[in-house]
PDB file of all heavy atoms in Angstrom:
ATOM      1  N   VAL A  92     -18.367  22.157   2.230  1.00 98.00           N
ATOM      2  CA  VAL A  92     -19.074  21.070   1.534  1.00 98.00           C
ATOM      3  C   VAL A  92     -18.269  19.786   1.630  1.00 98.00           C
ATOM      4  O   VAL A  92     -17.049  19.789   1.517  1.00 98.00           O
ATOM      5  CB  VAL A  92     -19.369  21.459   0.053  1.00 98.00           C
ATOM      6  CG1 VAL A  92     -18.169  22.070  -0.637  1.00 98.00           C
ATOM      7  CG2 VAL A  92     -19.879  20.279  -0.758  1.00 98.00           C
ATOM      8  N   TRP A  93     -18.962  18.699   1.911  1.00 98.00           N
ATOM      9  CA  TRP A  93     -18.405  17.346   1.753  1.00 98.00           C
ATOM     10  C   TRP A  93     -19.573  16.467   1.339  1.00 98.00           C
ATOM     11  O   TRP A  93     -20.717  16.920   1.341  1.00 98.00           O
ATOM     12  CB  TRP A  93     -17.721  16.840   3.040  1.00 98.00           C
ATOM     13  CG  TRP A  93     -18.616  16.559   4.212  1.00 98.00           C
ATOM     14  CD1 TRP A  93     -19.150  17.475   5.083  1.00 98.00           C
ATOM     15  CD2 TRP A  93     -19.082  15.272   4.670  1.00 98.00           C
ATOM     16  NE1 TRP A  93     -19.925  16.843   6.030  1.00 98.00           N
ATOM     17  CE2 TRP A  93     -19.894  15.490   5.805  1.00 98.00           C
ATOM     18  CE3 TRP A  93     -18.901  13.959   4.228  1.00 98.00           C
ATOM     19  CZ2 TRP A  93     -20.532  14.452   6.491  1.00 98.00           C
ATOM     20  CZ3 TRP A  93     -19.511  12.924   4.917  1.00 98.00           C
ATOM     21  CH2 TRP A  93     -20.310  13.175   6.036  1.00 98.00           C
ATOM     22  N   PHE A  94     -19.283  15.229   0.966  1.00 98.00           N
ATOM     23  CA  PHE A  94     -20.332  14.335   0.474  1.00 98.00           C
ATOM     24  C   PHE A  94     -20.328  13.030   1.258  1.00 98.00           C
ATOM     25  O   PHE A  94     -19.272  12.391   1.378  1.00 98.00           O
ATOM     26  CB  PHE A  94     -20.119  14.000  -1.012  1.00 98.00           C
ATOM     27  CG  PHE A  94     -20.019  15.211  -1.904  1.00 98.00           C
ATOM     28  CD1 PHE A  94     -18.851  15.462  -2.607  1.00 98.00           C
ATOM     29  CD2 PHE A  94     -21.086  16.084  -2.044  1.00 98.00           C
ATOM     30  CE1 PHE A  94     -18.747  16.570  -3.439  1.00 98.00           C
ATOM     31  CE2 PHE A  94     -20.997  17.191  -2.870  1.00 98.00           C
ATOM     32  CZ  PHE A  94     -19.827  17.444  -3.567  1.00 98.00           C
ATOM     33  N   MET A  95     -21.490  12.645   1.766  1.00 98.00           N
ATOM     34  CA  MET A  95     -21.575  11.322   2.359  1.00 98.00           C
ATOM     35  C   MET A  95     -21.223  10.298   1.277  1.00 98.00           C
ATOM     36  O   MET A  95     -21.611  10.469   0.124  1.00 98.00           O
ATOM     37  CB  MET A  95     -22.976  11.085   2.929  1.00 98.00           C
ATOM     38  CG  MET A  95     -23.221  11.935   4.168  1.00 98.00           C
ATOM     39  SD  MET A  95     -24.817  11.615   4.935  1.00 98.00           S
ATOM     40  CE  MET A  95     -25.880  12.621   3.905  1.00 98.00           C
ATOM     41  N   GLN A  97     -18.316   9.884  -0.006  1.00 98.00           N
ATOM     42  CA  GLN A  97     -17.478  10.530  -1.018  1.00 98.00           C
ATOM     43  C   GLN A  97     -16.332   9.622  -1.459  1.00 98.00           C
ATOM     44  O   GLN A  97     -15.821   9.746  -2.575  1.00 98.00           O
ATOM     45  CB  GLN A  97     -16.949  11.881  -0.534  1.00 98.00           C
ATOM     46  CG  GLN A  97     -16.057  11.832   0.702  1.00 98.00           C
ATOM     47  CD  GLN A  97     -15.808  13.231   1.287  1.00 98.00           C
ATOM     48  OE1 GLN A  97     -16.461  14.196   0.920  1.00 98.00           O
ATOM     49  NE2 GLN A  97     -14.841  13.336   2.197  1.00 98.00           N
ATOM     50  N   ILE A 208     -13.780  13.691   9.800  1.00 98.00           N
ATOM     51  CA  ILE A 208     -15.028  13.348  10.482  1.00 98.00           C
ATOM     52  C   ILE A 208     -14.943  11.883  10.893  1.00 98.00           C
ATOM     53  O   ILE A 208     -14.797  10.992  10.051  1.00 98.00           O
ATOM     54  CB  ILE A 208     -16.246  13.560   9.556  1.00 98.00           C
ATOM     55  CG1 ILE A 208     -16.296  15.004   9.046  1.00 98.00           C
ATOM     56  CG2 ILE A 208     -17.545  13.195  10.285  1.00 98.00           C
ATOM     57  CD1 ILE A 208     -17.302  15.229   7.919  1.00 98.00           C
ATOM     58  N   GLN A 271     -19.916  12.139  13.058  1.00 98.00           N
ATOM     59  CA  GLN A 271     -21.274  11.996  12.545  1.00 98.00           C
ATOM     60  C   GLN A 271     -21.834  10.663  13.022  1.00 98.00           C
ATOM     61  O   GLN A 271     -21.210   9.615  12.846  1.00 98.00           O
ATOM     62  CB  GLN A 271     -21.305  12.079  11.014  1.00 98.00           C
ATOM     63  CG  GLN A 271     -22.736  11.880  10.475  1.00 98.00           C
ATOM     64  CD  GLN A 271     -22.988  12.532   9.135  1.00 98.00           C
ATOM     65  OE1 GLN A 271     -22.468  13.607   8.832  1.00 98.00           O
ATOM     66  NE2 GLN A 271     -23.812  11.910   8.319  1.00 98.00           N
ATOM     67  N   GLN A 352     -27.189  20.222   7.830  1.00 98.00           N
ATOM     68  CA  GLN A 352     -26.314  19.682   6.799  1.00 98.00           C
ATOM     69  C   GLN A 352     -27.170  19.074   5.682  1.00 98.00           C
ATOM     70  O   GLN A 352     -28.085  18.310   5.954  1.00 98.00           O
ATOM     71  CB  GLN A 352     -25.405  18.613   7.393  1.00 98.00           C
ATOM     72  CG  GLN A 352     -24.504  17.936   6.366  1.00 98.00           C
ATOM     73  CD  GLN A 352     -23.519  16.985   6.993  1.00 98.00           C
ATOM     74  OE1 GLN A 352     -22.468  17.407   7.453  1.00 98.00           O
ATOM     75  NE2 GLN A 352     -23.852  15.714   7.047  1.00 98.00           N
ATOM     76  N   PHE A 386     -22.930  22.174   3.424  1.00 98.00           N
ATOM     77  CA  PHE A 386     -23.509  21.618   2.204  1.00 98.00           C
ATOM     78  C   PHE A 386     -23.127  20.146   2.084  1.00 98.00           C
ATOM     79  O   PHE A 386     -21.982  19.755   2.333  1.00 98.00           O
ATOM     80  CB  PHE A 386     -23.005  22.384   0.972  1.00 98.00           C
ATOM     81  CG  PHE A 386     -23.777  22.070  -0.286  1.00 98.00           C
ATOM     82  CD1 PHE A 386     -24.753  22.943  -0.747  1.00 98.00           C
ATOM     83  CD2 PHE A 386     -23.541  20.891  -0.984  1.00 98.00           C
ATOM     84  CE1 PHE A 386     -25.479  22.649  -1.897  1.00 98.00           C
ATOM     85  CE2 PHE A 386     -24.267  20.597  -2.132  1.00 98.00           C
ATOM     86  CZ  PHE A 386     -25.231  21.476  -2.594  1.00 98.00           C
ATOM     87  N   ASN A 387     -24.104  19.321   1.678  1.00 98.00           N
ATOM     88  CA  ASN A 387     -23.858  17.900   1.462  1.00 98.00           C
ATOM     89  C   ASN A 387     -24.945  17.403   0.517  1.00 98.00           C
ATOM     90  O   ASN A 387     -25.841  18.165   0.143  1.00 98.00           O
ATOM     91  CB  ASN A 387     -23.921  17.144   2.809  1.00 98.00           C
ATOM     92  CG  ASN A 387     -23.110  15.859   2.814  1.00 98.00           C
ATOM     93  OD1 ASN A 387     -23.191  15.040   1.897  1.00 98.00           O
ATOM     94  ND2 ASN A 387     -22.313  15.681   3.859  1.00 98.00           N
TER      95      ASN A 387
END
Side-chain angles (χ1 to χ4, degrees):
V92 46
W93 68 281
F94 305 117
M95 290 184 278
Q97 62 192 12
I208 303 169
Q271 178 154 324
Q352 177 174 277
F386 192 101
N387 206 312

